[in-house]
């Protein structure tokens, strides 16, 4: 009996040693753990080690593929998430020096639009590898160079015809015929128009860092320079005949031309002021200047004034070449105005929805 009790006691002792006998030690451990946790909480959050923080940085690999052959040109690796498309173009230029950034056109899809330089690479990423399609945009020129070249030509070409070079006109006939005052007035108005364009290009307009293909500048110069030669040849010809209604026709048309030139300048200044001030959240509003009140009727009053200038010049000189040039300019500016009007409708719908694009009568 005693042995059985001793055996039972021994078994209970072993059970307590295995389960319950450690209870006093467990209480001491819990107190120690509680004290340690309080110390950690009072010390603040544990900072991750530099190695762990560095391991979370993600780099992208940009694969540049030719849009025509679909062959890989190169891979731009280790592109940070904060990089832009322009940064990728610079890295691509380092790998392929013959393709400088302004000549590179990158697309996310083969038939998609060209990506703007300011777009973030991270916004394009679906995975760590991004495929972009490359297109050679050809020889590029800056916008300032583009407009200065386009407008300097007509200014100089018209003056060459105005002085009646011996290689252009017959000198005997030039000395005999008296120049009508409208010939001098037309030269003044034509030069004023292009001098205004040149000064606004240098001091008023703020162009982006973008570029345009050289072939566009060649086409623009061919159009403006060619028509200027045709116009100047007829107006400065010794046999040029003055307008049918004489002085009144010339005076009213010249006054309308000068008003349109002034209006065009003030509209361009207003648009440039809005861009410089950074206020692009609202449509340009008219000011105390009466020439800006056209903003109440049309969304592109600069094109309205430009068309008015050439129509007035046509009436003032009464020549067919000027009329054809004015007709083509009105068509071209109408297309530009419609395109810009659609952009304004997306950005400033409540303010632009009741306006016309260029001609106030047509809503």
């Amino acid at each position: 009996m005693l042995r059985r009790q001793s055996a039972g006691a021994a078994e209970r002792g072993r059970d307590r040693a295995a389960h319950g006998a450690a209870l006093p030690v467990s209480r001491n451990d819990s107190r120690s753990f509680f004290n340690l946790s309080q110390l950690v909480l009072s010390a603040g959050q544990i900072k991750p080690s530099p190695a762990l923080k560095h391991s979370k940085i993600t780099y992208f690999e940009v694969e540049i593929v030719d849009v025509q052959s679909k062959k890989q040109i190169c891979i731009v690796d280790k592109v940070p998430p904060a990089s832009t498309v322009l940064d990728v173009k610079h890295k691509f230029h380092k790998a392929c020096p013959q393709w400088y950034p302004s000549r590179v056109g990158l697309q996310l899809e083969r038939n998609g639009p060209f990506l703007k330089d300011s777009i973030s690479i991270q916004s394009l990423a679906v995975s760590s590898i991004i495929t972009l399609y490359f297109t050679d945009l050809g020889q590029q020129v800056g916008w300032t160079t583009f407009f200065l070249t386009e407008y300097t030509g007509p200014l100089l070409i018209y003056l060459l015809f105005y002085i009646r070079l011996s290689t252009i006109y017959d000198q005997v006939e030039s000395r005999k015929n008296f120049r009508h005052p409208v010939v001098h007035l037309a030269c003044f108005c034509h030069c004023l128009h292009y001098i205004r364009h040149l000064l606004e290009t240098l001091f008023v307009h703020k162009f982006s860092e973008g570029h345009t293909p050289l072939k566009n500048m060649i086409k623009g110069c061919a159009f403006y320079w060619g028509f200027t030669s045709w116009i100047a040849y007829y107006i400065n010809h010794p046999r040029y005949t003055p307008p049918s209604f004489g002085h009144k026709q010339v005076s009213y048309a010249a006054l309308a031309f000068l008003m349109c030139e002034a209006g065009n300048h003030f509209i361009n200044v207003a648009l440039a002021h809005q861009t410089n001030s950074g206020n692009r959240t609202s449509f340009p509003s008219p000011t105390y200047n009466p020439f800006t009140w056209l903003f109440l009727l049309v969304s592109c009053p600069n094109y309205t004034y430009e068309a008015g200038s050439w129509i007035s010049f046509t009436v003032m000189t009464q020549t067919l070449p000027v009329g054809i040039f004015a007709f083509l300019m009105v068509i071209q500016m109408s297309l530009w105005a419609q395109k810009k009007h659609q952009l304004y409708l997306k950005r400033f719908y409540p303010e632009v929805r009741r306006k016309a694009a260029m001609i106030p009568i047509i809503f």
Side-chain angles (χ1 to χ4, degrees):
M1 185 70 179
L2 181 61
R3 289 179 180 177
R4 289 180 180 177
Q5 290 178 352
S6 299
E11 290 178 0
R12 286 193 296 270
R14 284 195 297 268
D15 292 339
R16 286 186 62 189
H19 298 90
L23 183 60
V25 179
S26 181
R27 287 177 180 173
N28 293 334
D29 289 343
S30 63
R31 290 194 191 98
S32 300
F33 179 77
F34 177 78
N35 293 333
L36 179 61
S37 63
Q38 290 295 324
L39 179 62
V40 171
L41 291 174
S42 63
Q45 186 178 1
I46 299 177
K47 295 182 179 180
S49 61
L52 180 62
K53 184 178 180 181
H54 181 73
S55 65
K56 292 183 178 179
I57 297 179
T58 303
Y59 290 100
F60 296 104
E61 288 187 357
V62 180
E63 180 189 22
I64 308 295
V65 179
D66 186 79
V67 71
Q68 298 294 336
S69 63
K70 299 182 184 179
K71 294 181 179 180
Q72 182 188 95
I73 300 176
C74 73
I75 293 181
V76 181
D77 57 352
K78 292 185 178 181
V79 178
S83 299
T84 61
V85 173
L86 183 60
D87 297 329
V88 173
K89 288 183 179 181
H90 283 290
K91 289 179 179 290
F92 177 57
H93 173 57
K94 289 182 180 179
C96 303
Q98 70 271 26
W99 310 118
Y100 52 90
S102 62
R103 188 167 183 162
V104 175
L106 296 178
Q107 301 162 276
L108 195 60
E109 299 175 354
R110 289 190 65 197
N111 298 323
F114 290 110
L115 299 173
K116 295 183 179 179
D117 290 344
S118 58
I119 294 179
S120 171
I121 289 297
Q122 193 171 15
S123 65
L124 305 175
V126 179
S127 63
S128 60
I129 300 177
I130 305 172
T131 300
L132 297 180
Y133 293 94
F134 161 75
T135 301
D136 179 16
L137 300 178
Q139 189 76 19
Q140 302 287 301
V141 293
W143 284 110
T144 302
T145 304
F146 176 88
F147 287 114
L148 289 179
T149 306
E150 193 175 66
Y151 296 143
T152 303
L155 178 64
L156 299 178
I157 289 172
Y158 196 96
L159 291 175
L160 290 176
F161 282 90
Y162 177 73
I163 62 178
R164 290 183 176 179
L165 294 176
S166 57
T167 55
I168 301 175
Y169 301 111
D170 181 72
Q171 291 298 303
V172 177
E173 202 171 35
S174 298
R175 294 191 191 99
K176 287 182 179 179
N177 293 329
F178 171 75
R179 290 198 190 192
H180 194 274
V182 71
V183 175
H184 304 292
L185 183 61
C187 180
F188 170 77
C189 291
H190 191 274
C191 292
L192 177 66
H193 177 79
Y194 284 102
I195 289 174
R196 177 184 64 79
H197 273 304
L198 291 171
L199 293 177
E200 288 177 352
T201 300
L202 293 173
F203 304 109
V204 177
H205 298 302
K206 300 297 179 183
F207 301 105
S208 63
E209 297 298 326
H211 298 76
T212 186
L214 178 62
K215 61 181 181 180
N216 288 348
M217 188 179 76
I218 296 175
K219 289 191 293 186
C221 290
F223 177 78
Y224 278 98
W225 295 15
F227 262 104
T228 299
S229 301
W230 192 22
I231 290 169
Y233 176 80
Y234 271 84
I235 296 177
N236 296 287
H237 198 280
R239 297 183 182 180
Y240 168 75
T241 54
S244 303
F245 296 97
H247 181 71
K248 283 187 177 182
Q249 179 177 343
V250 173
S251 300
Y252 290 140
L255 181 61
F257 177 88
L258 295 176
M259 290 181 64
C260 289
E261 287 294 303
N264 202 340
H265 172 70
F266 288 120
I267 291 297
N268 289 331
V269 170
L271 293 173
H273 177 73
Q274 183 199 26
T275 303
N276 294 339
S277 61
N279 183 21
R280 300 186 180 184
T281 59
S282 60
F283 185 76
S285 57
T287 63
Y288 62 89
N289 190 335
F291 289 102
T292 63
W293 294 352
L294 199 57
F295 272 122
L296 297 172
L297 300 176
V298 297
S299 59
C300 302
N302 52 328
Y303 294 140
T304 307
Y305 283 123
E306 183 79 7
S309 294
W310 285 113
I311 293 173
S312 302
F313 194 77
T314 303
V315 175
M316 180 179 65
T317 58
Q318 195 174 313
T319 53
L320 180 63
V322 182
I324 296 175
F325 179 74
F327 176 73
L328 295 177
M329 287 294 291
V330 169
I331 293 177
Q332 180 62 72
M333 286 183 290
S334 298
L335 298 175
W336 289 339
Q338 287 293 337
K339 186 177 180 179
K340 190 172 289 187
H341 186 71
Q342 295 301 320
L343 295 177
Y344 285 154
L345 284 174
K346 294 179 181 178
R347 295 175 58 187
F348 317 113
Y349 175 73
E351 303 171 77
V352 184
R353 64 186 181 91
R354 296 186 64 85
K355 300 179 189 294
M358 191 182 83
I359 304 175
I361 300 174
I362 302 176
F363 286 86

